[in-house]
Amino acid sequence: MFRNFFGPAALVVSVLGLVACDRSGTESVAPPQPSSDFVIDYDEFQLDNGLQVIFHVDRSDPVVAVSLTAHVGSAREKEGRTGFAHLFEHLLFLESENLGRGGLDAMSARIGGSGANGSTSRDVTNYYQTVPKDALEKMLWAEADKLGWFINTVTEPVLAKEKQVVKNEKRQSYDNRPYGHAQYVIDRNLYPEGHPYSWQVIGSLEDLDNATLDDVKTFFRRWYVPNNVTLVVAGDFDPQQAKALVQKYFGEIPAGEAIERAPKQLVTLKETKRRFYEDNFAREPQLTLAWPTVPRYSEDSYPLAVLTEYLSDGKRAPLYRVLVEDEQLTSNVAMGAYESELAGQVQLEVQAFSGRDLDAVYAGIQKAFSLFEKEGIAEQDLERIKAGQEVAFYNSLSSVLGKGFQLAQYQMYADDPGYVSEDIERLLAVTAEDVKRVYQKYIADKPFVAVSFVPKGEQALALADSTAAQVVEEQIVNGAEDAVDPSAQAEYQKTSSKIDRSVEPAYGAPAQTAVPDVWQSELSNGIAVYGIENSEVPTVNFSLVIDGGQLQESIDKTGVANLAAMLMERGTKNRTPEELETAIQILGADISVSAAQDAFRFDVTTLARNFNEVFALLQEMLLEPRWDEKELVLAKKSVTSQIKRAEAEPNAIASKTFARLLHGDDSIRGYSGLGTEESVAAITMDDLKAYYAQYLSPSVARAHVVGDISQKDFLAAAESLAKQWPAKPVKVPDPKSEPAKPGIYFVDVPDSKQSVLRIGRLAMPAVSDDYYPAVFTNYILGGGGFASRLMQELREGKGYTYGIGSSVSSDKTGGRFAIGSGVRANVTAESVQLIDDILEDYPSTYTEADLENSRSYLVRANTRAFETAGAKLGLLEKMSEFGWPADYVRKHEAIAKAMTVEKVQKIADEYMQPDSMIWVVVGDRATQLERLQKLGLGEPTLVKND
C-alpha cells in the first residue's frame, strides 16, 4: 500500500519480475547473451545503535534519494491488533517534535522533492523521497526526527483522525471496487488462524477502531528502533560528509530491544477449500486459485517465476491457448508468485466473460495443466523469459531511488545488499527440469484454495461445492464518525537531544538542473527525430507517435483506433501472432501499440545490443500487419469484457460521465476510446484496415529515442523504415467541445462505500501563455500533494478522504482543470461544500508565503525532471508536440520567478471558480442525494449510468 494518491507509486521491479513467454519457438532467432556480472556499487556501515546504513553514489543527475526501511510489516502484528504497521506508515508523516505539524510535507513542498511517500508490506515499511542534492542534510535531519523524536506527538485526536484516513483508504482500495475482497478471502483460507499472513496489511476496520493509544505506542517502541532499520542514501553526494551527517542526526537515537529475524512459517494445505462471494461491484465472475509455496529468494522461487509466466502468458502458453483461444472463456489469464519473507504463494486469476460458469473455467485450467505435463517447456522459452527479466531488472534501476530500493530489499530479505549478482546467477541457472520439478512439487494434484467472486444474484456461476466466504461489509451511516477538529494542537513532552534540532538545516552547495543534450534530425520521409544518448543502463527506449488516435473516429463507431492497435500487435504478413511474440521476447524486448485520444503510438523497450533486430520487427509490424480475423474476434471479446467491468466500477463511471459532460455528445473527446458494446460489435476488419490506410502516415508522425545508442546508429536503422513508408497528407480533426452547464450531476451506484468526485471545466491549451501560470497557480490548491490545501483540508484536517488532488492538463488545442477524489460516503455533502469553499476563497486567501513555496518547489524540482529514461522520453515528446526547446524548463523557471500574488489571483478567478465547474458525484442515491440537495448549490441532475 502506498501513501501517494495521485502520483505514480515508486515500484521496484526485481530481477524476479514476471515476463511474458510462450511454449516453443517457431523460427531460429539468436537469443541474447545475458550476463550475471552486473553489480550495484555500494558502501555499508553500522552505527553503534544498530542502524544499518548503505550508500550508493551515482552522479548522473544532481539528485539524491533517501529511504528509511523498518523491518516491520503486518507480519509483526497480532490477530485482533492488525493494521498497526500500515497505520504508522501514515502517522509518521504527520508531525514530529522538530519538524512540527505537517512538517515533512511542508518541507518537501519547498525543497523540490518528489513528495514524501511510504509503503507497507507484510514484512517491511519504508519511507522515501528523491530531492535535489543540496537538500540531503535536510532529509537526514527530517528522517532522524521521525525515528527518534516522533512518538510523543501521537495523541488521541491525532490517532482518531488518522484512523478515518486509513478507513477511507480501505474503502477506496478494497470495499468500493470489484473483487476488492478477493485477497482477504484467499489469505484467510490459505493460512491457518494466527499465521501472520492470514490477515491483510491494511488490517480490519474493527481492529483499527479498537486500537488504543497505548497499543499504538507500544508497537512503535518495539519495532521502529535503529537496530531494526536500514537507511539508504543513493545519488550525487559526498560519502564522507554524508557519513558524518548520519552520525550527527541518527547516532544518539537509543537502540531498542534486540530483534531476531522471524522464523519461516511455511504452510501445507490438507485439503482443497472452495469459497464464493457475491460482489456488489462485479459484472463478471472471477476465479482465483492459490497454492502455498516458498519465501522470496528461496531456491525454488526462481523456477516458480518461470513456471507461472510460462503457463499463463504468451500466445501459446497452455492457459492462454485453452481459456482464451480455444474455449474463449476469458480475454486474459494472470498467474504469478506472491512471495514474502516467511512464506509464499502462487495465484492463478481468471476473470471470465459475463455469464460464464466458473466450473467451465476450472475444467479449462485442468486441461491446460495436462498440456504442460505432456509438453513441458522448451529451451527457447527459458531464454526468452531470462531476456525479459534482464530488461525488467535494468529498467528498475533507471533512477537512484530504484537502485536504493533494490539495495534495501536485498538487505531485508537476503541479509546482503550485494545479493544482486547471486540473484541473477540463480535466475539464469534455472533449467527445464527445475520448472517441471516445482510444478510437480507445488501445483500438480496439490490442495489449493479456490475463490469465486460472482455478481450479486449469480451464485450459480460459482465453482461447484463452494461455501460462502465470510466478508465483513461496512454499513454506511450518516454521522457515524466523530467530527475532527483540524485546529487542535497536540500537547506532549519534548524529547531531549545532544544537539539543537529545532532549526531546519541550510541547503548545501546549489544543485543545478541538468538539461540533457538533445540531438535532432529528420528522416527522408519527413519524420522528425529527437534523441538523447545515455549509457547509464544498457537499454534503449523508443516511441513513434502518430497524431490522431481516437480523434480520427466517428461517434457512431467508437473503438476502431483501439482495436486497430490491438490487431497490429498480433502478427505480421509473414509471422503468426505466436511467431511475432516469440521473436520479440527472445530479444528481451517489448513492443506495444496503443491508441490514445489524440495519438496512435508504438512504444519500444529493448536491450541496446538487440536494437537493430527489434527495430526491424517494429518496422514489420507497422508496414505489414497481419489483420488476423481470429484475433479480431478475441480482441473484441476482450474489449467488451473491459467495458462491462467498467460499468460497475465507480471511478470508471465518474471518469466516463465527467468526460461526456465536459465535451458534449457531439465531440469524440467525450467518448471512451474502448467504444461501447454496440460499437465494438459493429466494427469489422475493413474498418480497421481503412483506419490504418487513411490515418497512419509519416506526415503526422514523430520519433523519439533515449538510451545506449548513438545518433548515427539510430538513424541508420530508422532510414530503412523511412524508405519503405512514404508520407501522405493527413488532417487531424479538432472537434469542438460543448460542455454541459455548470452544476452537480449525480450517478447512482447503490450501496457505495465511498462517493467518487470529479470536478472541473475546460481550460487552456499547453501552448497558451496562461498554461504554465495555471500550473503554478494550481500547486498550492491541489497540485502540491500533501502540502496542498485540498489535501490538507479534506484528508489531514477532516479525515474525509484517502486522497484528493487537482491538475491542469493540456494538449495542443485544449485543456482542462480537474479535481478528483473518493470521499467517505456519509460525508459526501460535507466534502462537496468544503471543496466549494476552498475554491471560492482561494484567490483572496493566497499569500506571499504560498507564492514563495510554489516558486521554490517548481524551480528546484527541475533538478530531477529528467532523471529516468521515461522522463527523458517525455522531454522529447513535449519538444516534438508543442515545439518547445530542449531547455523549456528554463522558460518555466522564469515564469515561476515572475509570478505575483495578483497574477495567481487572476488565473484562479478565470479558471478555478466553483460556479464555472461541472461537479460529478457517483455514489449511493438513497443516502446521499437528499443531503446534496440541501446544500444550496443548485438542484443536482440525475445522470444514468449507460
Side-chain angles (χ1 to χ4, degrees), residues 723-743:
K723 290 177 181 177
Q724 298 181 58
W725 191 29
K728 60 177 178 285
V730 172
K731 180 180 180 181
V732 178
D734 180 20
K736 182 176 175 58
S737 296
E738 294 289 347
K741 66 179 182 179

Side-chain angles (χ1 to χ4, degrees), residues 452-471:
S452 303
F453 268 54
V454 297
K456 282 278 190 183
E458 298 186 29
Q459 179 185 335
L461 297 179
L463 201 61
D465 301 321
S466 296
T467 58
Q470 301 303 309
V471 175

Side-chain angles (χ1 to χ4, degrees), residues 271-394:
E271 60 182 5
T272 292
K273 301 177 183 180
R274 301 183 178 209
R275 303 289 183 262
F276 79 88
Y277 177 69
E278 293 187 46
D279 191 328
N280 183 54
F281 299 102
R283 287 297 179 269
E284 297 178 324
Q286 174 180 285
L287 177 65
T288 307
L289 306 183
W291 295 264
T293 57
V294 295
R296 182 176 296 188
Y297 299 141
S298 299
E299 180 181 354
D300 284 351
S301 68
Y302 297 87
L304 278 168
V306 175
L307 172 69
T308 55
E309 283 304 298
Y310 175 71
L311 286 173
S312 62
D313 201 357
K315 294 295 293 182
R316 294 181 63 194
L319 288 163
Y320 186 93
R321 289 158 59 198
V322 174
L323 295 173
V324 178
E325 293 190 333
D326 295 347
E327 303 192 11
Q328 298 189 14
L329 293 167
T330 181
S331 61
N332 184 55
V333 181
M335 190 177 188
Y338 182 4
E339 292 167 350
S340 303
E341 183 179 14
L342 310 183
Q345 62 212 70
V346 158
Q347 292 184 193
L348 167 58
E349 179 181 290
V350 180
Q351 286 180 13
F353 292 136
S354 180
R356 302 310 297 261
D357 194 307
L358 293 180
D359 284 319
V361 172
Y362 178 71
I365 291 170
Q366 296 308 305
K367 183 177 178 182
F369 284 173
S370 295
L371 280 176
F372 173 71
E373 292 167 5
K374 176 183 177 181
E375 299 169 347
I377 180 172
E379 196 65 33
Q380 192 176 35
D381 295 308
L382 288 175
E383 296 303 325
R384 181 167 59 252
I385 291 169
K386 293 170 186 178
Q389 290 180 335
E390 184 183 5
V391 174
F393 176 71
Y394 289 138

Side-chain angles (χ1 to χ4, degrees), residues 538-669:
T539 61
V540 175
N541 291 266
F542 168 74
S543 70
L544 177 67
V545 181
I546 305 170
D547 291 337
Q550 187 190 356
L551 294 178
Q552 300 285 15
E553 296 180 345
S554 61
I555 290 174
D556 61 349
K557 195 169 277 191
T558 54
V560 171
N562 177 61
L563 281 171
M566 294 175 73
L567 265 290
M568 291 183 74
E569 290 184 335
R570 303 187 183 195
T572 65
K573 178 182 177 181
N574 296 313
R575 297 178 198 258
T576 67
E578 296 114 3
E579 290 168 346
L580 177 62
E581 182 180 77
T582 299
I584 293 170
Q585 291 176 352
I586 204 166
L587 293 168
D590 179 77
I591 304 177
S592 65
V593 190
S594 61
Q597 185 177 84
D598 57 359
F600 197 95
R601 300 179 59 97
F602 293 78
D603 290 279
V604 179
T605 302
T606 179
L607 295 167
R609 63 176 182 260
N610 297 328
F611 178 79
N612 286 344
E613 295 92 333
V614 173
F615 194 86
L617 290 171
L618 167 70
Q619 179 174 317
E620 190 176 334
M621 293 168 65
L622 174 61
L623 301 183
E624 300 178 318
R626 187 174 186 84
W627 304 125
D628 191 300
E629 288 286 356
K630 178 183 176 183
E631 292 298 328
L632 178 58
V633 172
L634 296 175
K636 289 171 72 170
K637 284 180 175 288
S638 175
V639 172
T640 301
S641 177
Q642 293 179 61
I643 294 168
K644 283 183 177 294
R645 289 198 297 271
E647 289 173 354
E649 208 286 305
N651 282 287
I653 295 169
S655 296
K656 179 184 72 172
T657 305
F658 183 63
R660 184 67 60 83
L661 291 168
L662 192 65
H663 297 288
D665 291 338
D666 296 329
S667 171
I668 193 68
R669 297 182 188 274

Side-chain angles (χ1 to χ4, degrees), residues 208-273:
L208 283 171
D209 282 334
N210 292 336
T212 67
L213 187 60
D214 285 343
D215 292 334
V216 170
K217 290 193 172 187
T218 298
F219 188 85
F220 180 86
R221 290 177 174 129
R222 176 71 180 102
W223 302 111
Y224 294 81
V225 290
N227 48 303
N228 198 42
V229 169
T230 295
L231 171 70
V232 179
V233 180
D236 185 4
F237 65 98
D238 181 283
Q240 292 302 314
Q241 181 186 46
K243 187 172 184 178
L245 292 173
V246 170
Q247 179 64 50
K248 174 182 178 180
Y249 290 114
F250 288 89
E252 69 172 299
I253 303 173
E257 297 177 34
I259 296 174
E260 300 294 329
R261 281 186 175 268
K264 306 300 182 187
Q265 298 187 48
L266 305 183
V267 298
T268 302
L269 287 176
K270 296 180 179 180
E271 60 182 5
T272 292
K273 301 177 183 180

Side-chain angles (χ1 to χ4, degrees), residues 31 55 166 196 253 279 339 468 511 523 715:
F55 286 169
V166 174
I253 303 173
D279 191 328
E339 292 167 350
L523 301 181
L715 292 176

